[in-house]
Amino acid sequence: MSPAGPSLYGMAGRRVGALDSYPYTQVLANSERHWTVSHFQEFIASPQEAYPGTGMAFAGIKAAEDRDAIAAYIASRLPGI
């Protein structure tokens, strides 16, 4: 597995696990969901709850205000989110 996650650039509306250049776990690669702000916030709250079986070791961000701030920052830097 790659030591860093896939690029977030252009993630808005992209299918989860869809970048050809990143070695996703099966659970993410097989997802039919697409990235939205609400789904991104759900994912960063607890990747293991959002996608049981993901290889992501990140435990998540528990504070809603922190997740909101991260989503706002990404939205300010990335087109289309």
Side-chain angles (χ1 to χ4, degrees):
M1 218 49 209
S2 175
S7 172
L8 300 181
Y9 186 82
M11 71 182 276
R14 183 172 67 204
R15 187 178 59 77
V16 172
L19 283 181
D20 292 335
S21 61
Y22 188 77
Y24 294 97
T25 55
Q26 282 299 102
V27 68
L28 290 171
N30 292 337
S31 176
E32 295 297 322
R33 293 192 70 180
H34 289 77
W35 289 116
T36 63
V37 171
S38 62
H39 183 53
F40 178 71
Q41 288 180 320
E42 174 190 345
F43 181 75
I44 65 173
S46 178
Q48 289 293 333
E49 286 183 29
Y51 290 97
T54 183
M56 190 171 189
F58 176 64
I61 299 169
K62 301 306 174 208
E65 61 272 12
D66 292 342
R67 293 190 308 270
D68 290 344
I70 291 168
Y73 176 80
I74 289 174
S76 76
R77 300 288 187 251
L78 301 177
I81 192 163

